Amino acid sequence: MNALFSTEKISFNLPDAEIEYYPNFFDLVKANALFERLKSEIPWQQDSITVYGKTHPQPRLTALFGNEGKPYSYSNIVMQPHPWTPLLVFVKEEVESVCETLFTTVLLNYYRDGKDSNGWHADNEKELGRNPVIASVSFGAERAFHLQHNTIKEQKLKITLEHGSLLLIKGTTQHFWKHQIPKTTKHIGPRINLTFREIK
């Protein structure tokens, strides 16, 4: 086993979904160091987003890194990637060793406090292909990750995403489920999330 991460895994028995959670993927020392470097080294930006005809600042900061010439678009936002940095390549290769997937792109999210959020959505953009593999690494404050089946309303799941954890979502999940990071009134610190994906 690689000394830098843990392969302890939790799987969930859900219809139409393949979800795996690695709560201690990076150990505490490594997770702390990665969080501080990501917070200070990433060129964070805040895009505007239009929902139901109203435009407002997106409730979190973001950044996109990836292979040259492969933009990523969601919610009418088109992001152009920065070139990979050694720090992000390191995290990517650690994740790839577990996922058996080669990722081309990472979308980073910086949740500054409990007011920052990410509304209900699925990662089903056409450039991700039919059954995308999404690997999500979390650093910093714990946040609740909610999932809900699109048609079987009683099928729901809440996962607390811990500091240094990896959440792997694959198979048909994006076709049948949506997910969110809701706002919280709790006084919590910042969280940085890296979502690795392959743009076809």
Side-chain angles (χ1 to χ4, degrees), residues 110-125:
Y110 184 9
Y111 299 84
R112 295 159 292 183
D113 54 32
K115 298 186 187 74
D116 278 357
S117 62
N118 198 344
W120 286 112
H121 69 284
D123 297 315
N124 56 3
E125 292 78 15

Side-chain angles (χ1 to χ4, degrees), residues 76-93:
N76 295 317
I77 296 172
V78 180
M79 300 185 72
Q80 299 293 334
H82 299 283
W84 289 103
T85 66
L87 175 63
L88 292 174
V89 169
F90 164 76
V91 179
K92 181 171 88 82
E93 290 178 347

